[in-house]
Amino acid sequence: MHKIVLGLLVVFALMACNIPQKSQDNKVDVEASQSTDKMEWWRNDRFGMFIHFGLYSQCEGYWKDESIGGIGEWIFKHAKIPVDEYKELANTFTCENMDVDAWAKLAKESGMKYVVITTKHHDGFALFHSKVNDFNVVDATPYSKDIIAEFVEACRKYDLKIGFYYSQYQDWSYQGAGGNNWDKPYAWSKEGFKNYMDEKALPQVRELLTNYGKIDMIWFDTPGKMKKEESEAFLNLAKDVQPKIIVSGRVGNDVGDYVQMEDNDLPKRRPDFDWEAPVTMNHTWAYKRDDHHWKSAGYMLWQLTYSAAMGGNYLLNIGPKGDGSVPQESVNRLKVIGDWMKVNSEVIYEADPSPFVNAFNWGGITHKGNKLYLNITDWPKRQLSIFGLQNKVNKAYFLASGDAVETSREGEYLVLALPDEAPDRNATVVVLEIEGEPIVNQALVQKLDGQIILESELAENTTGRMTHFGSVKKWMKPKGKLAWDFEVTQAGKFKVEVITTGFKRMAWPEKPALWDGGHKVKIVVDEQEIKGEVDKDRTEKAPHDLYNDFKVAEMGTVTIKEAGRHHLELVAETIENSNKAGLAVRMVRLVPSK
């Protein structure tokens, strides 16, 4: 009897500490406290920290006293460093100012719920003790301790979910793996890649998922030339060892559990699938001493609240310095975000996405039951309008203060009377308590100020090209068209503007975006036709785009005689591509004209 009681006490203690038990075949028992839907915690938490740290962090963007372009963790490739020379960086990897506990504490205090760390990036160096390859922090460096073991302990201390980043295709220091095109013996080969998978990559993933207890997610990256069966080998291994683990979409070939957006990119329309946006605080992921292009805390709060409104997760990166310390610029911004989350976290955690599929230019909406949270990051002067909310509004107030907000109706527009200055200059939350669950009109509709904004990402797109940061990406040949159906509430005469942007290579943030002009297009609005040239009549600052501005081409005028549903098409007749950018349409804008 005493043995039975003791056994039960051990089981209860393990459960209370959230330390999973291992079976004899090294599979982790994760059924005790998890929901049937393994994605539930991830959808509820919404906000995570990304950590990029490795040998590359010591370089700070320099190799042999020369500044190297591109993002910091790619310095090995961008500087074309011989493998033997790069490996010598391990000799000086001492991490003298690293405090992994402080990393986890910073995530917790910032309102983050999960943390993903680079266990092995494309350079092939592992932050954990690997028995299958000695290019790792324990065997190859003076630090000689398992950083991932320290990380896991710290995350559990602060009740943070644990994620491991692992570069499964690229390994620039292993012969035959993907990505090395400058040091010939390490170039990709079919046989070499199979050896890499069998001898290093798959065994290291198994080590990561068996040696540290329960791991919540694994974040693969850059699948490159991998075949579906190769992606499935990583997926199946992960789920065999940790049945409830979440596997990122970049495992490749559409076999992951959720979609990862392009780095730093957010959708203009709410997707109908699980997604996550990995985002930098400046231009780079790993630390670069010359990258001073820090986003403001307000900008990052826009990204966070907007991601939640669009039904996605926000994974915000820090890049510790080579000594392991976190740049003060990152700490300062996370302090602002953490203070905001202490007051407003209910708009993020366990909140449903916006009932509207289209975005708003002032921010985004999340909701719980009969409460709509208007997360206002671009403060409108005097009033804010929402088209298509059918429910009666019983109460409106600022979340932080409880002060009432006056509302009124103008047709199908709900109008909020607001002060000239935002109560919170970073992000102000207004709560609408409505009657019942939200019922909305999902039409793409004219703004209350009369403008009609037709985003490329919201178009019926038959060009064969995807969108890239909201613009059609590399539309090089005049095939297909962009078409929109939209609602007009105020008929009249409109100036038609085509807005283009450049094409940006995100691995080279310091290089200007490529842009081409001089395209000939036809625009048809109902039965009216305009032909003209898409060039740059003027430029505008692009909202929430740190890499481009808007090039505005004025095409002419059209008259819309009555309110109701209308249709616009943009057809390219000739496309210029001297700069290899093509026609990058960001939006068509109709502006009221006298």
Side-chain angles (χ1 to χ4, degrees):
M1 180 66 179
H2 290 294
K3 290 182 179 179
I4 295 173
V5 171
L6 181 59
L8 288 171
L9 287 173
V10 170
V11 171
F12 290 145
L14 288 167
M15 290 172 63
C17 295
N18 199 28
I19 301 174
Q21 302 171 73
K22 293 180 184 177
S23 63
Q24 291 182 349
D25 61 0
N26 277 332
K27 290 184 181 179
V28 177
D29 179 8
V30 296
E31 294 183 0
S33 62
Q34 289 223 4
S35 162
T36 305
D37 185 355
K38 68 177 184 179
M39 298 293 291
E40 183 178 3
W41 72 261
W42 185 87
R43 295 187 192 108
N44 288 341
D45 291 352
R46 290 295 181 208
F47 188 21
M49 175 183 279
F50 215 170
I51 301 174
H52 276 71
F53 184 62
L55 295 184
Y56 43 77
S57 304
Q58 296 182 104
C59 298
E60 299 184 352
Y62 280 76
W63 183 251
K64 295 183 177 180
D65 298 322
E66 180 183 352
S67 178
I68 304 300
I71 46 184
E73 68 282 4
W74 282 58
I75 192 169
F76 189 0
K77 186 180 181 82
H78 289 160
K80 294 181 169 52
I81 303 169
V83 171
D84 290 344
E85 287 188 35
Y86 184 83
K87 284 188 171 182
E88 291 177 4
L89 287 170
N91 298 330
T92 55
F93 195 68
T94 58
C95 307
E96 61 268 25
N97 292 316
M98 184 177 70
D99 184 347
V100 176
D101 186 90
W103 294 356
K105 184 180 180 184
L106 181 62
K108 183 72 172 182
E109 291 177 346
S110 302
M112 293 153 167
K113 293 283 195 173
Y114 62 102
V115 186
V116 179
I117 190 170
T118 51
T119 65
K120 187 210 79 163
H121 208 273
H122 308 326
D123 64 347
F125 175 74
L127 292 185
F128 57 98
H129 191 201
S130 173
K131 293 182 180 179
V132 301
N133 186 273
D134 61 6
F135 190 36
N136 69 74
V137 66
V138 174
D139 294 326
T141 79
Y143 185 70
S144 71
K145 289 180 283 188
D146 189 324
I147 291 175
I148 297 306
E150 297 174 332
F151 167 80
V152 169
E153 180 182 1
C155 286
R156 294 206 172 109
K157 175 181 175 181
Y158 293 102
D159 192 29
L160 296 163
K161 294 287 196 301
I162 298 166
F164 287 163
Y165 171 108
Y166 188 89
S167 174
Q168 82 279 19
Y169 171 72
Q170 296 199 78
D171 191 314
W172 304 330
S173 58
Y174 199 93
Q175 291 188 0
N180 190 324
N181 58 1
W182 67 95
D183 199 343
K184 192 172 181 179
Y186 295 89
W188 181 92
S189 68
K190 184 176 180 180
E191 181 181 355
F193 186 74
K194 184 179 186 306
N195 290 338
Y196 159 69
M197 278 189 61
D198 293 343
E199 296 172 6
K200 183 179 182 181
L202 287 169
Q204 282 195 334
V205 171
R206 184 175 290 278
E207 286 179 324
L208 285 166
L209 299 184
T210 56
N211 293 345
Y212 304 100
K214 176 178 174 293
I215 305 304
D216 300 288
M217 61 190 299
I218 186 160
W219 215 98
F220 292 110
D221 197 16
T222 63
K225 298 178 182 179
M226 288 174 64
K227 298 175 182 177
K228 186 172 184 180
E229 56 266 28
E230 292 169 336
S231 295
E232 287 175 336
F234 286 98
L235 175 82
N236 294 335
L237 169 61
K239 294 191 174 183
D240 179 59
V241 181
Q242 302 252 8
K244 294 290 187 180
I245 199 166
I246 295 173
V247 179
S248 75
R250 291 188 191 176
V251 68
N253 295 290
D254 299 321
V255 301
D257 290 316
Y258 68 92
V259 172
Q260 279 155 319
M261 296 298 180
E262 185 173 0
D263 296 352
N264 289 298
D265 196 12
L266 298 176
K268 303 298 181 292
R269 183 180 178 89
R270 174 167 53 79
D272 58 0
F273 47 78
D274 291 317
W275 63 271
E276 178 184 63
V279 171
T280 55
M281 281 197 179
N282 48 4
H283 286 329
T284 186
W285 298 93
Y287 179 72
K288 288 185 73 172
R289 79 174 81 134
D290 292 342
D291 185 353
H292 305 298
H293 302 91
W294 295 95
K295 299 166 186 172
S296 68
Y299 187 94
M300 289 182 275
L301 281 170
W302 166 73
Q303 292 181 312
L304 169 61
T305 56
Y306 184 91
S307 295
M310 289 286 136
N313 282 29
Y314 182 63
L315 188 63
L316 180 59
N317 181 71
I318 62 168
K321 299 179 181 179
D323 64 1
S325 62
V326 179
Q328 191 61 43
E329 293 88 347
S330 296
V331 174
N332 293 344
R333 284 155 178 77
L334 289 175
K335 172 69 165 58
V336 175
I337 293 171
D339 289 344
W340 186 89
M341 287 291 287
K342 288 173 187 174
V343 177
N344 300 287
S345 62
E346 68 184 87
V347 312
I348 305 296
Y349 304 148
E350 300 183 19
D352 292 323
S354 174
F356 294 88
V357 296
N358 296 326
F360 297 94
N361 58 4
W362 44 261
I365 298 175
T366 53
H367 88 280
K368 293 180 182 178
N370 73 328
K371 286 185 178 180
L372 296 182
Y373 300 101
L374 279 54
N375 308 303
I376 308 171
T377 50
D378 292 71
W379 192 251
K381 294 294 183 183
R382 302 183 66 120
Q383 67 178 23
L384 177 150
S385 63
I386 301 171
F387 178 90
L389 179 63
Q390 307 295 311
N391 307 70
K392 177 184 177 184
V393 176
N394 293 324
K395 189 177 181 182
Y397 54 93
F398 292 110
L399 178 61
S401 65
D403 292 344
V405 174
E406 182 182 339
T407 66
S408 59
R409 292 277 185 178
E410 292 188 24
E412 277 205 67
Y413 294 95
L414 174 70
V415 181
L416 283 67
L418 298 174
D420 288 340
E421 299 295 328
D424 186 324
R425 65 186 180 88
N426 292 313
T428 298
V429 180
V430 173
V431 182
L432 301 181
E433 293 188 5
I434 61 176
E435 207 164 272
E437 287 287 322
I439 303 170
V440 302
N441 181 342
Q442 299 287 11
L444 182 57
V445 71
Q446 184 178 21
K447 308 298 181 187
L448 188 58
D449 67 5
Q451 291 192 71
I452 300 167
I453 309 294
L454 305 177
E455 301 265 8
S456 293
E457 202 164 317
L458 308 183
E460 177 190 349
N461 183 348
T462 57
T463 66
R465 309 308 302 168
M466 304 291 286
T467 55
H468 172 82
F469 285 79
S471 295
V472 177
K473 179 180 180 179
K474 293 201 169 186
W475 189 2
M476 299 292 196
K477 297 180 180 179
K479 74 181 259 192
K481 63 184 177 182
L482 301 175
W484 297 263
D485 290 314
F486 56 96
E487 292 281 345
V488 170
T489 57
Q490 306 164 57
K493 188 177 180 181
F494 296 86
K495 290 188 298 181
V496 180
E497 300 173 338
V498 175
I499 295 173
T500 57
T501 61
F503 172 73
K504 186 68 181 177
R505 287 187 61 196
M506 296 312 298
W508 296 90
E510 65 274 12
K511 291 187 177 181
L514 302 173
W515 181 80
D516 278 310
H519 321 284
K520 300 293 193 299
V521 302
K522 177 175 67 175
I523 293 175
V524 180
V525 182
D526 298 331
E527 301 299 321
Q528 301 168 78
E529 183 178 295
I530 301 173
K531 289 189 176 185
E533 181 173 294
V534 176
D535 214 306
K536 180 175 63 175
D537 292 321
R538 68 179 190 278
T539 61
E540 294 179 1
K541 180 176 173 56
H544 304 302
D545 189 334
L546 303 182
Y547 305 103
N548 273 295
D549 56 15
F550 283 170
K551 280 81 171 175
V552 182
E554 299 175 0
M555 307 301 296
T557 61
V558 296
T559 300
I560 296 177
K561 296 181 179 178
E562 58 185 24
R565 178 66 60 92
H566 294 271
H567 184 79
L568 184 146
E569 295 181 356
L570 185 151
V571 179
E573 298 189 321
T574 64
I575 294 178
E576 300 296 324
N577 54 21
S578 58
N579 292 316
K580 299 182 180 179
L583 175 54
V585 178
R586 177 67 169 76
M587 68 175 71
V588 176
R589 183 168 62 193
L590 280 65
V591 181
S593 174
K594 294 181 180 179

